[in-house]
């Protein structure tokens, strides 16, 4: 039986959420599967993957073929690298401890990159909020200036009307 590691769609319309499953190659996308090994949520930045690393590695080693998208997910999570390193251990190129050190170094470097992406996203959000606040302040200052001008014009008009009234009242009194 040819097995595949594939995605099984879930979630609502326009908000896909996938399960990573082991299925017979002949089974339909959302049909029967052998085992669920994780989930994939592409709606977050970066995409959220919850994967049973050991089971994914086991299925790869027994010959399950991942689809293109799942291959990319497994690559980002390090499953394909670990399979490669285990192959080197079986061939005698290095021992298990060296393979684990290489994997841990790769994982630490990968985590630094993810942390940098998250920090950049938070920084971009803060800058956008600051820019929006500055723009709002400019708009509010312009509105306040217009209101002050209107109040000054109204005060001048009231003063002119009061002065005109005062002159008309004084004129009949003198006559």
């Amino acid at each position: 039986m040819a097995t595949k590691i594939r995605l099984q769609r879930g979630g609502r319309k326009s908000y896909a959420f996938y399960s990573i499953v082991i299925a017979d190659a002949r089974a339909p996308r959302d049909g029967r599967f052998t085992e669920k090994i994780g989930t994939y949520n592409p709606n977050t930045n970066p995409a959220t993957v919850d994967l049973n690393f050991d089971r994914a590695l086991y299925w790869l080693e027994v010959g399950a073929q991942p689809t293109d998208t799942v291959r990319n997910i497994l690559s980002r999570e390090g499953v394909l690298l670990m399979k490669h390193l285990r192959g080197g251990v079986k061939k005698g190129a290095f021992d298990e401890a060296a393979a684990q050190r290489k994997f841990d170094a790769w994982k630490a470097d990968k985590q630094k990159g993810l942390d940098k992406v998250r920090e950049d996203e938070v920084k971009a959000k803060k800058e956008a909020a600051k820019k929006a606040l500055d723009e709002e302040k400019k708009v509010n200052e312009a509105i306040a200036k217009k209101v002050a001008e209107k109040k000054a014009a109204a005060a001048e008009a009231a003063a002119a009307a009061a002065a005109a009234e005062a002159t008309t009242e004084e004129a009949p009194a003198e006559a």
Side-chain angles (χ1 to χ4, degrees), residues 3 18 38 44 52 54 89 92-93 114 122 124 133 139 146 153 161 164 167:
T3 56
Y18 298 95
T44 59
N52 186 338
D54 295 330
V89 169
L114 290 175
V122 168
L133 184 63
V139 169
K146 286 181 182 178
T167 56

Side-chain angles (χ1 to χ4, degrees), residues 37-146:
I37 60 171
T39 59
Y40 169 62
N41 184 2
N43 301 306
T44 59
N45 185 17
T48 307
V49 177
D50 180 25
L51 183 70
N52 186 338
F53 189 89
D54 295 330
R55 292 305 292 169
L57 186 60
Y58 165 78
W59 280 105
L60 278 176
E61 287 179 341
V62 297
Q65 296 296 313
T67 60
D68 293 338
T69 305
V70 174
R71 179 176 283 115
N72 290 334
I73 292 169
L74 295 178
S75 178
R76 281 195 307 258
E77 293 297 311
V79 177
L80 294 179
L81 176 65
M82 183 55 88
K83 180 182 180 228
H84 175 75
L85 292 173
R86 280 193 176 178
V89 169
K90 287 178 185 174
K91 292 179 182 176
F94 43 83
D95 62 348
E96 185 70 34
Q100 191 61 42
R101 279 195 307 273
K102 287 182 181 183
F103 181 76
D104 292 340
W106 175 85
K107 194 74 168 174
D109 187 44
K110 183 77 169 177
Q111 190 61 41
K112 284 180 189 175
L114 290 175
D115 291 342
K116 180 161 176 37
V117 167
R118 288 188 184 108
E119 288 173 9
D120 291 345
E121 187 176 332
V122 168
K123 190 181 290 183
K125 283 183 180 179
K126 284 182 181 179
E127 289 176 6
K130 184 178 178 182
K131 184 178 177 183
L133 184 63
D134 291 342
E135 289 177 6
E136 187 175 343
K137 284 181 181 179
K138 288 179 184 178
V139 169
N140 287 343
E141 287 173 1
I143 291 172
K145 187 176 179 181
K146 286 181 182 178

